[in-house]
């Protein structure tokens, strides 16, 4: 497969622009990357979960394809619209990650992307508000939280679990800081009741 999910550790300073980190890339630019998904962050604690629950011991930091592996930041506390400073950079949480089939293909377990989604251990994306350099080992500093009700956990619940709840879908879609793609999906649910199939995203085009 062609993918940019195979990340390697980087030391020293890295430039962060509006579309992501210098040296990073996306094979599928239709569904990955861009200003709303400039940086993908994933909690380091989750790797132990997948080791213990599913014996996926090959999964290590960077295994989900994240740009930032973060400690002490989880989906039940990180919120849409959160603004963080890290190094010279200012970033803002834009949406949860919706896992595609590539982690499943990488680790040779067909249902892995569904397990990631159902567990809620998805990670999330940042948009870049201020460009600059970051370095390994720097810790994000929270400077603003405009929508504390919309944790990544709550967003995942609305999108993937409570799918028939149009009231909650409308409320989340109205969140000013939510990524446009998520707004569009939720507004389709509210307006015409469209529920998009997730099979292609989770499993790919073939067996």
């Amino acid at each position: 497969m062609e993918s940019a999910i195979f990340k390697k550790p980087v030391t020293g300073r890295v430039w962060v622009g509006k579309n992501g980190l210098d040296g990073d890339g996306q094979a599928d630019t239709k569904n990955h990357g861009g200003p709303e998904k400039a940086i993908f962050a994933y909690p380091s604690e989750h790797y132990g979960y997948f080791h213990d629950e599913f014996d996926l011991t090959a999964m290590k930091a960077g295994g989900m394809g994240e740009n930032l592996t973060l400690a002490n930041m989880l989906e039940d506390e990180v919120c849409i619209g959160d603004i963080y400073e890290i190094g010279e950079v200012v970033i803002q949480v834009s949406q949860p990650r919706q896992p595609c089939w590539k982690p499943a293909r990488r680790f040779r377990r067909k249902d892995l992307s569904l397990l990631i989604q159902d567990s809620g251990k998805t990670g999330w994306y940042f948009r870049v508000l201020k460009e600059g350099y970051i370095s390994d080992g720097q810790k994000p500093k929270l400077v603003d939280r405009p929508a504390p009700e919309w944790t990544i956990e709550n967003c995942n619940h609305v999108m993937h679990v409570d799918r028939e709840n149009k009231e909650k879908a409308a409320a989340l879609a109205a969140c000013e800081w939510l990524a446009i793609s998520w707004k569009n999906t939720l507004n389709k649910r509210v307006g015409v009741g469209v529920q998009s199939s997730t099979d292609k995203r989770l499993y790919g085009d073939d067996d």
Side-chain angles (χ1 to χ4, degrees):
M1 68 176 180
E2 184 179 2
S3 176
I5 196 173
F6 299 92
K7 306 297 187 189
K8 296 180 180 179
V10 175
T11 57
R13 298 204 311 166
V14 178
W15 176 258
V16 180
K18 292 292 185 180
N19 288 304
L21 282 71
D22 190 28
D24 190 26
Q26 295 83 32
D28 177 8
T29 55
K30 179 181 178 181
N31 296 302
H32 300 93
E36 297 278 50
K37 294 190 279 188
I39 300 174
F40 172 41
Y42 199 73
S44 60
E45 293 89 342
H46 293 344
Y47 286 108
Y49 169 82
F50 288 104
H51 293 176
D52 296 342
E53 294 295 322
F54 305 107
D55 199 32
L56 291 165
T57 56
M59 292 177 63
K60 300 177 181 178
M64 290 292 184
E66 70 267 24
N67 305 115
L68 300 179
T69 307
L70 301 175
N72 303 313
M73 294 177 65
L74 298 173
E75 287 84 356
D76 63 352
E77 55 192 5
V78 173
C79 306
I80 299 298
D82 279 3
I83 296 177
Y84 294 86
E85 293 177 348
I86 178 170
E88 301 174 353
V89 177
V90 180
I91 52 180
Q92 183 177 47
V93 178
S94 57
Q95 66 169 79
R97 185 220 198 157
Q98 291 185 280
C100 70
W101 52 269
K102 291 184 179 180
R105 192 73 56 86
R106 177 178 184 178
F107 294 105
R108 306 292 184 180
R109 176 158 178 156
K110 188 173 182 178
D111 64 345
L112 177 57
S113 298
L114 181 62
L115 293 175
I116 295 168
Q117 177 177 290
D118 287 352
S119 70
K121 301 180 189 303
T122 59
W124 56 87
Y125 286 100
F126 291 106
R127 59 174 68 92
V128 177
L129 302 183
K130 178 187 174 186
E131 299 178 327
Y133 284 99
I134 62 172
S135 301
D136 57 308
Q138 292 178 322
K139 297 180 180 180
K141 176 185 176 183
L142 179 66
V143 295
D144 192 21
R145 173 162 287 164
E149 69 276 19
W150 288 121
T151 63
I152 298 299
E153 180 180 67
N154 288 341
C155 294
N156 280 331
H157 188 80
V158 172
M159 180 64 78
H160 302 302
V161 180
D162 199 8
R163 291 168 59 88
E164 302 299 326
N165 193 321
K166 291 188 176 183
E167 182 178 350
K168 286 187 178 179
L172 177 54
C175 178
E176 177 181 349
W177 302 278
L178 184 67
I180 294 296
S181 62
W182 269 60
K183 286 178 177 285
N184 290 341
T185 297
L186 294 166
N187 282 325
K188 285 180 182 178
R189 287 187 189 178
V190 174
V192 293
V194 173
Q195 294 279 3
S196 301
S197 172
T198 60
D199 286 352
K200 185 176 181 180
R201 171 173 61 80
L202 292 171
Y203 301 109
D205 290 322
D206 55 35
D207 295 331

